[in-house]
């Protein structure tokens, strides 16, 4: 597969008193052109946006907040791995994963909406940071186990579904 990608982006930051404000926009064009008559070329146009604010409350405390909206094109493996196989014996084993990975030539791009909140304390000899995140995906691309095995190796299929990831991270 010949893959071509072009990205244009701008990121700006502004400092106002105790605040740092950042914003960014990115446009990506991705083309996937397989050397096969079995499937067609695909083109994806993606737009990603981000905005964040960091407030330095004093010399040791800061509070951060960010929002983003991202789009990602499927990569070659997600689209085309083993799509030419018509029977299980034609599948090619992925050497690194030890599984048979099967792509889906009809995958759409992923879209996500994300929120991050961070509180940070930094003293002379110590740092404590607590981050909360929430990521809401439309058409999340995942490698799913089909439940089928060939010679004790799992057959995995790239699939899409909506997904939500959220949690917290503590750094010390």
């Amino acid at each position: 597969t010949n893959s071509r990608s072009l990205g244009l982006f701008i990121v700006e930051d502004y400092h106002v008193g105790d605040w740092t404000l950042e914003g960014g926009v990115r446009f990506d064009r991705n083309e996937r052109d397989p050397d096969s008559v079995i499937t067609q070329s695909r083109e994806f146009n993606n737009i990603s946006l981000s905005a964040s604010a960091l407030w330095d409350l004093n010399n040791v405390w800061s509070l951060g907040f960010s929002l983003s909206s991202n789009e990602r094109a499927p990569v070659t493996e997600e689209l085309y791995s083993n799509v030419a196989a018509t029977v299980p014996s034609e599948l090619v084993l992925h050497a690194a994963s030890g599984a048979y990975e099967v792509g889906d030539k009809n995958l759409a791009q992923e879209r996500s909406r994300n929120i991050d909140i961070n509180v940070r304390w930094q003293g002379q000899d110590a740092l404590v940071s607590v981050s909360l995140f929430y990521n809401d995906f439309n058409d999340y691309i995942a490698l799913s186990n089909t439940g089928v095995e060939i010679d004790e190796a799992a057959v995995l299929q790239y699939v899409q579904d909506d997904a939500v990831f959220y949690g917290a991270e503590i750094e010390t």
Side-chain angles (χ1 to χ4, degrees), residues 82 84-93 100 102 148-151 155:
N82 282 309
T86 57
V87 294
S89 63
E90 293 177 348
L91 292 173
V92 176
L93 184 70
Y100 295 95
V102 180
V148 174
E149 287 188 357
I150 300 173
D151 297 327
V155 176

Side-chain angles (χ1 to χ4, degrees), residues 63-160:
L63 177 63
F65 183 78
S66 66
L67 297 171
S68 65
S69 173
N70 303 300
E71 296 179 341
R72 181 185 78 84
V75 296
T76 299
E77 295 79 9
E78 294 166 340
L79 289 169
Y80 302 125
S81 289
N82 282 309
V83 295
T86 57
V87 294
S89 63
E90 293 177 348
L91 292 173
V92 176
L93 184 70
H94 189 288
S97 68
Y100 295 95
E101 297 180 6
V102 180
D104 181 347
K105 63 185 177 184
N106 298 310
L107 292 175
Q109 65 204 66
E110 283 182 349
R111 291 182 171 90
S112 68
R113 308 295 179 262
N114 314 289
I115 299 172
D116 294 284
I117 299 171
N118 176 271
V119 176
R120 182 177 177 153
W121 176 87
Q122 185 167 1
Q124 274 188 313
D125 299 325
L127 163 78
V128 176
S129 176
V130 177
S131 299
L132 304 174
F133 64 90
Y134 181 86
N135 304 322
D136 184 7
F137 284 85
N138 291 344
D139 295 326
Y140 181 75
I141 299 171
L143 193 55
S144 180
N145 194 329
T146 64
V148 174
E149 287 188 357
I150 300 173
D151 297 327
E152 298 182 18
V155 176
L156 310 176
Q157 171 77 50
Y158 286 101
V159 297
Q160 284 190 295

